[in-house]
Amino acid sequence: MGVLLEARGLKRYFGGVRALDGLDVTVNEGEIVGIIGPNGAGKSTLFNVITNVFPPTAGQVFYNGEEITGIPPHEVARKGLMRTFQRNLLYPPFSVLDNVRMALHLKSGYNFFEALFNTPSYRRKEELVDKQALATLGSADILALKDRISSFCSFGAQRRLGISVGVATQPKMVLMDEPMAALNPEQVSNITKFVRQIRDAGTTIAIVEHNMRPIFALCDRVVVLAQGRKLAEGTPAEIRDNELVIQTYLGRHGSAAAH
Amino acid sequence: MQQIKRLYHNNSIGLMVVPLLIFPIFAGGNPYLMFTGILALYTIGVTLTLRLKLSSYLLDIAGHLAWVGMGAYFSSALQVHLGWPFWVNLIAVPPIVGLISVLVAMPAIRTQGVYLAIVAIAFADIVVLFFGNMFTGVFGGHGGLYALPGVNNLGPISFGKDDHVAYYFLLVGIMAFIVYILRRIDRSRIGLSFRSVREQADLSEAVGLNVYWTKVLNWGISCSLAGLLGVFFAAYLRAFNPDEFSSAAGFFLMAYIIIGGRGHLLGPALGVVLFVVMRESLRSLELWQSLFWGVIMIIFIMFIPDGIYGLIKRGWEWGIAFRARQAAAPVPAPAAVAASTTPPPSERVGPSSG
């Protein structure tokens, strides 16, 4: 179980705002790591900097033993580090199946001329992609919706589809940005199950989340961020009892009153 | 109902073939009708190639004719000065135009939305100025080129000045080729990735698509097909001037697409046919025509944004639903009807992040 993802001294400034201020994070193979923190702690920025949507001001990112600092987002994805988005970011007018087919295009690997001339190898690859897409939808439990336009699906189904788009290629690692935001408790427990199922299929996961309870139930390790720095790191049980974390979340007065 | 729908979807292009083949039988003896028909068909071709660009939200509407113009000028120059036969130009010129378009796109595509439209319009006018002022010995200056040799005879088939039917079927062949390529793109992962760039470029990037080169590829294919039509245009008209490819002329393409509808390959074709029929029948209005077209455009943009094709499609689906209801079958879910109309492209301009 080696280190799969490592961020070293990661900094990202937006003008005078220090969204990330010298952050070190590691994720080991096969883990589910939760990244929590109050609003503005730099959680989403961390993912955006790792996948280089915003290049880091300073610091390095290593993935699978090689440095990926500064390589474009689509190259990061090609190396097997995928991400899902905070909002239900999908292709609204595409069918559910087409959303996943788009995600699988990396694996289809046919070129322009094969598609133009409708060669047998093109048809074979296309069939394979369709099969994989259907399997992905099946494991996300949204197979019945495959022909529906994605923007007409329910919020919960869109969320599952969004995650499916991220994991369709069975990547080595996926970064999930708030997969449980704005869901009701039942949906949260469904997503929790889904995330576990993805990990059990061999994908390492890092989750940014606001919802504490599912994170503590789900994660092997939790990293707490505040103002762009790491506040604490440890098992869910350790984090729950951490004095600093309680102070940050409840405020100094809150913790003083508790004593 | 599913079967009817499939039949209709698979054959909507096929439906076009019949009138295309019948047209010369009715109009073959009438040069005016043949001329109008050929130019209409050529314009349909241009809007089809433009529609490919729009599928990725590459707003090169007013500038698109510049690529047609390049095809026309290059093939004429090669034919007149180097003696290349038309048939060689037909194969050689589109890749040249495509290559130039890729070189232009590489810096241009760093801009998005309306900014790209501005770059494209500026480029179209540069092209017009270039052909109007540079190498006047080759390109004929602002007066344009005239007395061009046209299409070289192909064995027993003669392409003389009055052989409109021969030109017509040559154009039908070129169109068949273009439609074939566009359909293959539309149905493959490549078309999907073109559309994905319009809908959510951030997501496409996150699943590993090189958004930049996807746009450049789209631009290159679209421009080289436009160049192919330019080769035909020059050979058929045998005379043209640079202003025919200016951005001002290009704005008419927008009218065809808005009036016809952009949801399907047939949409712009309907727009062109309607436009040509109206223009020819409203000749008495003379200058007032422009005003009339302006009003029509505003009405379509405000009330019929999916154009005539969208109207027909909705009517058709309403008919199917109505018949289904009459047969006392359960009412089809409204989502199924709404689902099959393509929503308009999102009018995103800047990159959205979050």
Side-chain angles (χ1 to χ4, degrees):
Chain A
M1 220 175 76
V3 174
L4 189 58
L5 182 75
E6 184 181 3
R8 267 188 223 157
L10 217 51
K11 291 184 183 175
R12 171 70 206 194
Y13 301 161
F14 295 102
V17 180
R18 300 183 165 197
L20 294 179
D21 198 9
L23 192 63
D24 299 298
V25 180
T26 56
V27 179
N28 299 318
E29 224 168 317
E31 267 186 326
I32 301 183
V33 172
I35 295 161
I36 60 173
N39 281 330
K43 305 184 296 291
S44 294
T45 306
L46 175 63
F47 280 4
N48 282 332
V49 169
I50 288 174
T51 55
N52 209 39
V53 173
F54 309 134
T57 309
Q60 289 169 302
V61 184
F62 295 87
Y63 172 71
N64 209 6
E66 59 178 318
E67 186 170 358
I68 58 166
T69 324
I71 71 171
H74 66 267
E75 292 286 344
V76 175
R78 280 171 200 208
K79 290 188 187 298
L81 176 57
M82 304 297 274
R83 67 170 297 184
T84 68
F85 288 86
Q86 196 167 21
R87 300 161 283 148
N88 286 349
L89 201 71
L90 297 165
Y91 304 110
F94 288 13
S95 72
V96 167
L97 185 62
D98 276 350
N99 269 279
V100 178
R101 281 180 65 217
M102 189 55 219
L104 278 165
H105 87 101
L106 271 184
K107 277 209 157 175
S108 64
Y110 58 78
N111 67 34
F112 178 64
F113 291 99
E114 281 182 293
L116 272 196
F117 299 116
N118 200 8
T119 59
S121 90
Y122 157 74
R123 259 171 282 159
R124 219 169 25 244
K125 286 168 186 167
E126 195 81 316
E127 259 167 45
L128 195 70
V129 164
D130 282 353
K131 213 183 286 169
Q132 279 175 329
L134 291 175
T136 308
L137 291 181
S139 63
D141 212 10
I142 45 176
L143 189 57
L145 302 172
K146 71 181 168 71
D147 293 321
R148 187 166 305 174
I149 298 300
S150 61
S151 56
F152 290 115
C153 290
S154 71
F155 193 77
Q158 286 190 22
R159 186 60 58 81
R160 297 179 83 84
L161 178 56
I163 296 174
S164 306
V165 167
V167 301
T169 50
Q170 293 170 323
K172 231 177 145 128
M173 178 163 184
V174 62
L175 309 171
M176 295 184 181
D177 200 348
E178 301 206 10
M180 294 152 197
L183 294 181
N184 66 34
E186 195 195 331
Q187 287 169 321
V188 167
S189 85
N190 281 335
I191 294 284
T192 308
K193 257 182 250 159
F194 186 32
V195 171
R196 256 204 207 103
Q197 181 190 325
I198 291 164
R199 194 267 297 269
D200 294 343
T203 300
T204 307
I205 297 168
I207 299 185
V208 155
E209 219 1 284
H210 267 307
N211 272 343
M212 296 300 209
R213 204 164 295 158
I215 281 294
F216 285 145
L218 188 62
C219 295
D220 304 311
R221 211 148 50 78
V222 176
V223 175
V224 186
L225 302 188
Q227 289 169 344
R229 289 165 201 244
K230 185 153 67 179
L231 193 69
E233 182 175 356
T235 63
E238 285 166 3
I239 294 297
R240 203 173 302 158
D241 298 333
N242 188 307
E243 196 65 29
L244 260 174
V245 176
I246 295 169
Q247 271 184 15
T248 313
Y249 267 88
L250 302 177
R252 230 165 267 286
H253 294 295
S255 63
H259 276 281
Chain B
M1 178 194 154
Q2 206 59 40
Q3 266 171 345
I4 299 171
K5 227 173 152 180
R6 201 173 306 135
L7 199 74
Y8 151 77
H9 269 297
N10 290 346
N11 290 311
S12 49
I13 291 292
L15 288 176
M16 231 175 122
V17 171
V18 178
L20 274 180
L21 295 180
I22 288 177
F23 179 74
I25 297 175
F26 283 102
N30 184 336
Y32 162 72
L33 267 185
M34 282 309 285
F35 181 79
T36 310
I38 288 173
L39 282 192
L41 195 56
Y42 148 83
T43 313
I44 289 171
V46 176
T47 56
L48 289 185
T49 60
L50 175 58
R51 190 174 164 273
L52 180 65
K53 271 185 196 163
L54 294 181
S55 73
S56 291
Y57 196 46
L58 300 169
L59 293 181
D60 180 20
I61 298 171
H64 191 60
L65 280 178
W67 305 104
V68 179
M70 263 186 227
Y73 267 104
F74 290 159
S75 93
S76 304
L78 287 170
Q79 206 175 2
V80 172
H81 293 277
L82 297 181
W84 290 23
F86 168 85
W87 302 101
V88 174
N89 290 341
L90 199 59
I91 295 164
V93 169
I96 298 173
V97 175
L99 190 70
I100 295 173
S101 76
V102 166
L103 292 178
V104 171
M106 279 163 67
I109 280 179
R110 298 198 178 274
T111 61
Q112 289 189 35
V114 289
Y115 301 100
L116 181 59
I118 293 167
V119 172
I121 290 174
F123 180 76
D125 289 335
I126 290 171
V127 169
V128 168
L129 288 174
F130 176 85
F131 286 127
N133 297 298
M134 310 286 278
F135 306 107
T136 44
V138 181
F139 296 130
H142 277 291
L145 292 170
Y146 49 89
L148 294 167
V151 175
N152 305 69
N153 292 349
L154 189 71
I157 310 165
S158 121
F159 286 91
K161 264 203 171 83
D162 300 316
D163 292 325
H164 293 288
V165 176
Y167 276 100
Y168 179 83
F169 281 108
L170 170 62
L171 181 57
V172 168
I174 292 174
M175 290 284 288
F177 173 73
I178 290 175
V179 169
Y180 172 77
I181 288 189
L182 294 180
R183 291 278 275 184
R184 292 275 2 129
I185 289 174
D186 230 24
R187 289 177 174 197
S188 71
R189 188 260 296 167
I190 293 159
L192 199 63
S193 60
F194 286 168
R195 293 192 293 278
S196 82
V197 167
R198 175 189 71 195
E199 295 305 335
Q200 204 56 266
D202 296 345
L203 183 55
S204 299
E205 205 164 48
V207 298
L209 184 75
N210 190 331
V211 169
Y212 176 72
W213 282 111
T214 302
K215 287 182 182 174
V216 172
L217 176 70
N218 182 331
W219 184 281
I221 297 168
S222 171
C223 291
S224 55
L225 291 178
L228 177 66
L229 283 160
V231 176
F232 172 85
F233 181 82
Y236 177 59
L237 286 186
R238 292 161 193 255
F240 56 87
N241 64 56
D243 288 335
E244 298 190 37
F245 310 113
S246 68
S247 57
F251 276 112
F252 276 102
L253 295 178
M254 189 153 65
Y256 306 141
I257 289 181
I258 287 172
I259 291 172
R262 52 198 159 178
H264 191 272
L265 281 174
L266 276 182
L270 287 170
V272 172
V273 170
L274 184 85
F275 186 90
V276 171
V277 169
M278 299 267 270
R279 186 190 62 199
E280 298 300 314
S281 53
L282 292 174
R283 279 217 176 275
S284 55
L285 284 179
E286 291 175 15
L287 276 177
W288 292 95
Q289 269 205 19
S290 311
L291 195 68
F292 175 76
W293 284 113
V295 173
I296 291 266
M297 285 276 281
I298 292 170
I299 290 173
F300 267 86
I301 291 170
M302 286 184 71
F303 301 111
I304 322 176
D306 48 357
I308 294 173
Y309 181 81
L311 267 185
I312 294 174
K313 185 170 181 163
R314 266 185 282 161
W316 179 280
E317 274 156 0
W318 183 84
I320 290 175
F322 184 75
R323 248 175 294 156
R325 221 171 305 153
Q326 291 240 311
V331 183
V337 177
S340 45
T341 48
T342 317
S346 48
E347 303 284 308
R348 229 156 41 89
V349 175
S352 75
S353 52

